[in-house]
Amino acid sequence: MLPQRKEARAGLIGFGIQRSLTPAMHMREGRAHGLAYSYELIDLHERKKTPDDLEALIAEVEAREFCGLNITYPCKQLVLPLLTEVSDDARRLRAVNTVVLRDGKRIGHNTDWSGFAEGLRRQLPDADLTSVVQIGAGGAGAATAFAVLKMGTSKLTIFDIDANRSVELAGEMARLFPEAEVMAGRYLENAMAEASGLVHATPMGMDKHPGLPLPAELLNPPLWVADVVYFPLETALLQAARRRGCRVANGGGMAVFQAVGAFGLFTGLVPDAQRMLAHFAELTGTDEIALARLA
Ligand code: NAD
């Protein structure tokens, strides 16, 4: 007879999530801890559901005794009123990507911002965070802006092709971090001339959105460049930045460390971040040099 193993179930709710690597990362780590761990994709598109069905979907997985849920686009804010408790950071950020389900409680957290912060810290440990330009003011952009401000950025200038979004995010961050200068940018060239680092948080660079989010001539050392895109890991932006002599951080850090954080919260176990990184590298075909930067 097989030794009895502890079971755990978790999942990800979102729209169009079929390519997510999060289930594989969670399940492999669960197995390494001796857990019979299943992690399901609950794809709103596949299941012909809408964000209005979120509450029913959460109730369904609670009935199935899930220990947790990751939440992604377009539900990270919609989930807030459905929770019994929300961590301080997630409440301030007004976005939840991780919900712990325990004893009838639904406790919301945000491991996106902490995942990005950890990825940046590991890949660019001595990055000068004084003055950061960020392009992209959507879901990922809210987490990265929060992260760099938590890490001590004193000037953050946010750009987005939708000016309303950059103004709104800058306003929210300025309220949360009154000690920093946070603004929506108007002239990218001027802002880049003064920046110590660039955070990129738009879909540009993904297969469906090829190209650069800004002219390569604006990338000049000692500027560092951090990308959130991780399909592919080596984006055109990072290639251009490296060619011009800038140090770079890829989106793999955020992808792995949001999962490391969520795994710990769901299971109460201490995940082996190194092992999860190695697994992510295997899943993405990342070469050892890129992995070493993350490790
Ligand atoms: P989103 O749609 O919420 O936001 C994207 C924002 O970028 C929008 O505000 C849009 O107006 C803006 N934008 C698009 N093209 C632009 C351009 N050329 N210049 C300026 N602004 C532009 O999307 P999101 O959820 O924030 O995701 C953005 C990217 O981040 C995606 O590629 C996603 O895969 C990636 N992501 C990565 C991780 C990770 O773990 N590494 C996590 C979340 C998202």
Side-chain angles (χ1 to χ4, degrees):
M1 211 171 78
L2 283 170
Q4 221 179 1
R5 294 205 296 165
K6 273 184 137 178
E7 275 187 45
R9 285 190 210 105
L12 169 66
I13 296 185
F15 190 86
I17 49 179
Q18 292 305 316
R19 288 180 74 195
S20 173
L21 301 177
T22 303
M25 284 192 279
H26 274 253
M27 287 193 285
R28 165 90 67 104
E29 186 59 16
R31 277 200 300 278
H33 286 271
L35 274 182
Y37 189 5
S38 66
Y39 186 110
E40 293 177 23
L41 287 178
I42 303 166
D43 190 328
L44 297 176
H45 177 67
E46 297 274 306
R47 293 185 55 167
K48 300 193 171 38
K49 301 282 187 196
T50 73
D52 289 341
D53 298 310
L54 185 58
E55 179 150 33
L57 289 170
I58 297 175
E60 178 190 313
V61 302
E62 278 178 324
R64 294 176 57 209
E65 298 186 340
F66 275 38
C67 60
L69 276 175
N70 282 125
I71 308 287
T72 190
Y73 176 83
C75 301
K76 286 183 186 181
Q77 294 184 323
L78 296 171
V79 75
L80 277 162
L82 309 176
L83 304 174
T84 53
E85 286 171 42
V86 182
S87 75
D88 247 21
D89 289 335
R91 184 179 41 74
R92 294 176 75 209
L93 195 41
R94 283 193 268 166
V96 161
N97 78 319
T98 298
V99 179
V100 175
L101 302 171
R102 192 170 296 146
D103 305 327
K105 288 192 183 147
R106 301 168 173 174
I107 309 157
H109 298 266
N110 189 302
T111 65
D112 282 335
W113 84 262
S114 51
F116 175 78
E118 185 61 17
L120 186 58
R121 223 177 268 126
R122 287 185 178 230
Q123 295 178 83
L124 298 173
D126 53 356
D128 175 1
L129 293 168
T130 320
S131 171
V132 174
V133 164
Q134 175 171 306
I135 305 179
T144 57
F146 191 82
V148 291
L149 288 163
K150 283 270 272 195
M151 292 168 88
T153 289
S154 50
K155 183 173 179 186
L156 175 64
T157 314
I158 304 173
F159 290 84
D160 196 291
I161 34 169
D162 180 342
N164 290 332
R165 286 191 164 207
S166 45
V167 168
E168 195 178 323
L169 181 60
E172 274 172 36
M173 291 298 142
R175 188 177 52 79
L176 292 177
F177 298 91
E179 68 285 5
E181 191 185 342
V182 188
M183 72 201 95
R186 292 183 63 186
Y187 303 106
L188 185 60
E189 203 167 320
N190 296 353
M192 287 298 292
E194 290 179 8
S196 58
L198 171 71
V199 174
H200 173 245
T202 89
M204 288 285 290
M206 297 179 80
D207 297 342
K208 281 191 201 152
H209 305 274
L212 291 175
L214 78 174
E217 300 74 59
L218 299 183
L219 306 170
N220 294 303
L223 183 88
W224 53 264
V225 178
D227 208 335
V228 298
V229 172
Y230 72 104
F231 278 127
L233 213 46
E234 187 67 12
T235 57
L237 172 64
L238 295 191
Q239 281 170 358
R242 203 178 284 116
R243 257 198 315 273
R244 294 183 61 84
C246 300
R247 293 185 309 142
V248 303
N250 64 44
M254 185 176 186
V256 174
F257 288 102
Q258 63 76 24
V260 170
F263 181 92
L265 288 165
F266 288 169
T267 62
L269 299 166
V270 180
D272 183 333
Q274 217 52 37
R275 184 166 56 207
M276 289 181 79
L277 274 169
H279 185 210
F280 177 81
E282 190 187 313
L283 290 167
T284 52
T286 309
D287 63 52
E288 280 178 20
I289 298 166
L291 177 65
R293 278 201 302 271
L294 268 169

